[in-house]
Each structure stands twice: as C-alpha cells, then as structure tokens.
Amino acid sequence: MNKKTLAKQVIAALKKEYPTVKCALVYEKPHELLIATRLSAQCTDVRVNKVTPALFKKFPTIKAFAEASEEEVAEYIHSCGLFQTKSRDIVKMCKQLHEDYKDKVPDTVEELVKLAGVGRKTANLVAGELYGKTAFVCDTHVIRLTNRLGLAEGKDAVKVEKQLREAVPAKEGLGLCHRLVWHGRLVCDARKPACEKCCLADICKNNKDKAKENSKNE
C-alpha cells in the first residue's frame, strides 16, 4: 500500500473515531494561542490551560507583554517548566509583534518562525488554526504515530512534516494532526500502545510487524 492510500484510510478511520476535534489549548485572541503554544513545549496542554487565564488577565495585550519584564512573566508560568527561557521568548516575541508587525500575528509559517521561540510546529499550528492555512503540526504524538503507521520515517519534525505534505491532502493536514494527538494520548501510548482497541490496528505497520513476529515465535 502506498502512503497516499494509507493516508486516506488513516484519515477516514480517525474521522469516524474522533468526528469533532479542536486545538486543546484554550485561547481567545490570536497572540494568546501563540503564547500558549510556546508554553506547551515539554509541558501538558492541561497545565498550560491552568496557567494562561491569570497570565492573560495580567497581560491582556501584545503591548502589555512587550512592556513586561521577563521576571514578571516568569512568575505566572513557573509551573510550565523551562519558565526562564519561555518568559524571555514571550517578551521578545511580543516586542517583535508590537514593533515589526503592528500588534498582528503573522499568517504564514515563513513569517511566524522569525519570532523568538517559534519553530515550525508552533508556526504550523497558528497558521492553520487562526488563518486556515495548510498546516502539519508535527509534535511528539504525530511523529510517533506516523512512524508506527508507516506514513513517515524518522524523528526529525521537519522531515516528518515534509513526508506528510507529500502523502496527505493539504486540506486534511491540521485535522489529521489534531486527531493523531488525541489518539496518541488516549490509545497509542508511547510505552504501551493499546493495539487491541485501536481503530487503526488493521492498517498499522507496527501492529502488522508485531503480529508477524509473534507468529514466527509460535
């Protein structure tokens, strides 16, 4: 089975399993999604969503963040981990948005990655979620699952993104990635995937390989 055919089957199965999906991060304004996504690095979305209400109340605008000190921001995001680096990036990012982009979050991956602390994962999510652009958000769940399924190879996010763009219809990219994240959290665990209850078991390369190995050992 070629990857485009496999992708169609994966998309169909996940749409049936998770008919409605959305970004797990809670936000109201464009820059809030950008900041929340930066905070989510090596941190759970649940934790980020607990931190951001007070953070966004204290600093309600891009300008407010731009004028804040790193120490002030750090006080609100301490529990997210790597808080010193994240607070530095957030303040610098908002200064860029305020001074270079007139308080508007850019709508392309190419412009978004110019912002402090913004990589392709964050840029894809923001461009796709806010502006409806073609987006492939390759976080750890997406990388793990696409490798197991046989849709992609390797752990480099940029290379996985490239492979998915070649196999997956552009309009399905963001939705597929959201569904892969949910499936990775609920079923396809990093350490012990629950293959017995997985809707992708019949088409999963990793599951098929395990079945072959088990049959050899019987």
Side-chain angles (χ1 to χ4, degrees):
M1 185 189 306
N2 64 48
K3 289 185 178 181
K4 287 187 177 182
T5 300
L6 175 60
K8 289 180 180 179
Q9 293 185 6
V10 170
I11 291 166
L14 289 179
K15 279 186 175 181
K16 185 176 181 179
E17 191 76 5
Y18 311 100
T20 57
V21 292
K22 63 179 181 178
C23 178
L25 295 168
V26 178
Y27 67 96
E28 294 181 359
K29 304 171 185 177
H31 73 275
E32 292 180 353
L33 176 60
L34 187 60
I35 291 170
T37 308
R38 179 66 189 94
L39 291 174
S40 70
Q42 297 185 42
C43 179
T44 66
D45 291 345
V46 172
R47 168 56 55 187
V48 173
N49 289 337
K50 289 180 179 180
V51 166
T52 50
L55 177 69
F56 295 150
K57 183 176 180 180
K58 174 64 177 178
F59 308 103
T61 63
I62 290 173
K63 184 180 179 182
F65 274 108
E67 293 176 345
S69 69
E70 295 175 19
E71 292 75 19
E72 286 178 304
V73 174
E75 289 180 17
Y76 288 84
I77 65 171
H78 196 280
S79 64
C80 287
L82 302 175
F83 64 94
Q84 292 176 319
T85 300
K86 291 177 181 179
S87 62
R88 180 196 65 207
D89 286 345
I90 289 169
V91 171
K92 186 176 180 180
M93 171 202 303
C94 288
K95 285 181 178 178
Q96 289 175 279
L97 290 173
H98 183 58
E99 296 170 5
D100 302 334
Y101 295 93
K102 298 180 180 180
D103 291 343
K104 180 175 173 60
V105 175
D107 64 355
T108 67
V109 170
E110 291 72 24
E111 287 298 314
L112 285 161
V113 295
K114 294 178 182 179
L115 300 173
V118 176
R120 289 193 66 85
K121 184 193 85 169
T122 297
N124 268 282
L125 176 61
V126 171
E129 190 76 17
L130 296 180
Y131 301 111
K133 299 293 182 72
T134 298
F136 289 85
V137 185
C138 294
D139 72 349
T140 54
H141 293 293
V142 173
I143 292 171
R144 181 176 75 254
L145 268 67
T146 54
N147 270 255
R148 285 177 175 173
L149 288 165
L151 275 176
E153 297 177 4
K155 296 182 179 181
D156 183 277
V158 175
K159 292 181 179 178
V160 170
E161 179 189 333
K162 183 176 184 296
Q163 292 173 71
L164 292 181
R165 285 182 180 274
E166 292 173 351
V168 178
K171 65 179 181 180
E172 300 288 358
L174 186 61
L176 172 62
C177 289
H178 280 330
R179 289 182 172 91
L180 287 171
V181 169
W182 282 106
H183 196 64
R185 288 172 177 161
L186 299 174
V187 179
C188 197
D189 183 77
R191 295 183 179 180
K192 191 177 180 181
C195 300
E196 69 282 355
K197 63 176 184 179
C198 179
C199 64
L200 302 173
D202 292 343
I203 56 176
C204 176
K205 178 180 180 298
N206 186 65
N207 191 48
K208 290 178 180 178
D209 289 344
K210 285 197 299 183
K212 288 180 182 178
E213 188 64 28
N214 291 335
S215 65
K216 288 181 182 178
N217 297 327
E218 289 178 352

